[in-house]
């Protein structure tokens, strides 16, 4: 059985004071014995402090992005080795906001995925279609293209060290989550696509759902057979919501 995971993507939110208050509340509420993995993804500048703060707690820390290059003259960028150096273990690659606002294409995302692994980080690879693509019946075509770029460049074996997140763009920050059936259909498609190249890895890879996950809808989403937890944006900034989502993931195990 795959161990559920709940990942909190803070996006460009937080401050030293707000992070400290949120982490204190989470530490009080999260139960270390729950059979799930929990991680938070703060903005770069807070990573070291959040790692220090969570030392000894069973909550992982990841970054929201990583440079595709290992180091050098790339002003403004952060290398995977630096993320490891400050204690991160995970990194999101290919979030739709990076794809959309910073024009990251499938090839760049595939390189970032490889850079994360080379630095010893677990990539959380985001895939997802826009509303227009869904309405045009293109969902599987888009997901396959995004996934295949990573598989072609890095090889299917790398998926054994990675996590996939299905995040329909139309569901992110909109309050309109995919229905459990819609999510399950795409998760099963992703799993099949990986399994076509390696059945064991396809069966084992964790696929998180992201897009307006809340305490109120987490249990039904996580009850689907191929949904292994959530990548949570807005609700990860509210301790009680995030805690309830983690509880739903634990109950789904
Ligand atoms: P949301 O964001 O939960 O606020 O919809 C999810 C994400 O973008 O990871």
């Amino acid at each position: 059985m795959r161990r559920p995971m709940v990942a909190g993507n803070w996006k460009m939110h937080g401050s030293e004071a707000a992070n400290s208050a949120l982490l204190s509340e989470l530490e009080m509420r999260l139960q270390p014995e729950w059979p799930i993995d929990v991680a938070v993804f703060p903005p770069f500048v807070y990573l070291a402090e959040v790692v220090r703060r969570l030392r000894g707690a069973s909550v992982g820390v990841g970054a929201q992005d990583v440079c595709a290059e290992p180091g050098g003259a790339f002003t403004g960028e952060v290398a995977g080795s630096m993320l490891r150096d400050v204690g991160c273990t995970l990194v999101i690659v290919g979030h739709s906001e990076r794809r959309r606002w910073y024009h990251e294409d499938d090839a760049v995302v595939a390189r970032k995925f490889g850079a994360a692994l080379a630095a010893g980080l677990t990539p959380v690879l985001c895939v997802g279609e826009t509303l227009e693509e869904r309405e045009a019946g293109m969902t599987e075509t888009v997901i396959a293209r995004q996934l295949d770029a990573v598989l072609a460049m890095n090889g299917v074996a790398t998926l054994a060290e990675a996590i996939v997140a299905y995040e329909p763009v139309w569901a992110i920050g909109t309050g309109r989550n995919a229905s459990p059936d819609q999510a399950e259909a795409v998760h099963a498609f992703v799993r099949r696509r990986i399994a076509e190249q390696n059945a064991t890895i396809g069966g084992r890879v964790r696929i998180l759902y992201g897009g307006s996950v809340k305490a109120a809808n987490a249990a039904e989403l996580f009850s689907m057979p191929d949904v292994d937890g959530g990548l949570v944006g807005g609700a990860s900034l509210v301790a009680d919501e995030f805690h309830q989502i983690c509880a739903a993931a634990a109950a789904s195990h």
Side-chain angles (χ1 to χ4, degrees), residues 67-112:
C67 185
E69 306 296 335
F74 298 97
T75 301
E77 291 292 300
V78 177
S81 58
M82 297 170 185
L83 298 175
R84 276 296 294 174
D85 190 35
V86 299
C88 290
T89 55
L90 300 137
V91 64
I92 296 171
V93 296
H95 191 279
S96 64
E97 287 151 17
R98 300 295 316 171
R99 293 179 191 260
R100 178 168 182 196
W101 302 117
Y102 302 96
H103 312 294
E104 292 188 7
D105 60 17
D106 293 332
V108 168
V109 172
R111 291 180 58 228
K112 289 188 172 196

Side-chain angles (χ1 to χ4, degrees), residues 9 11 95 97 167 171-174 210-214 231-235:
N9 174 9
K11 308 195 178 183
H95 191 279
E97 287 151 17
E167 295 209 312
I172 296 176
T174 58
S212 297
V213 175
K214 302 271 182 287
L231 177 54
V232 184

Side-chain angles (χ1 to χ4, degrees), residues 145-171:
R145 193 200 71 219
Q146 294 171 338
L147 199 55
D148 290 355
V150 171
L151 291 169
M153 190 176 296
N154 300 283
V156 68
T158 59
L159 265 292
E161 317 295 327
I163 294 163
V164 179
Y166 169 54
E167 295 209 312
V169 179
W170 47 272

Side-chain angles (χ1 to χ4, degrees), residues 88-230:
C88 290
T89 55
L90 300 137
V91 64
I92 296 171
V93 296
H95 191 279
S96 64
E97 287 151 17
R98 300 295 316 171
R99 293 179 191 260
R100 178 168 182 196
W101 302 117
Y102 302 96
H103 312 294
E104 292 188 7
D105 60 17
D106 293 332
V108 168
V109 172
R111 291 180 58 228
K112 289 188 172 196
F113 183 98
L117 285 172
L121 297 161
T122 300
V124 180
L125 169 68
C126 297
V127 296
E129 81 289 1
T130 63
L131 187 59
E132 297 70 47
E133 289 163 343
R134 174 164 281 267
E135 286 175 345
M138 300 274 293
T139 301
E140 291 192 353
T141 308
V142 171
I143 305 290
R145 193 200 71 219
Q146 294 171 338
L147 199 55
D148 290 355
V150 171
L151 291 169
M153 190 176 296
N154 300 283
V156 68
T158 59
L159 265 292
E161 317 295 327
I163 294 163
V164 179
Y166 169 54
E167 295 209 312
V169 179
W170 47 272
I172 296 176
T174 58
R176 177 184 169 194
N177 61 286
S179 71
D181 287 339
Q182 286 173 322
E184 172 59 23
V186 178
H187 284 231
F189 173 76
V190 169
R191 197 176 297 292
R192 273 201 310 278
R193 190 110 189 150
I194 297 168
E196 278 165 16
Q197 295 192 22
N198 185 311
T200 307
I201 293 173
R204 284 194 189 151
V205 66
R206 287 188 288 184
I207 308 175
L208 312 182
Y209 167 78
S212 297
V213 175
K214 302 271 182 287
N217 59 25
E220 58 170 11
L221 284 161
F222 299 166
S223 73
M224 303 311 283
D226 289 296
V227 178
D228 304 312

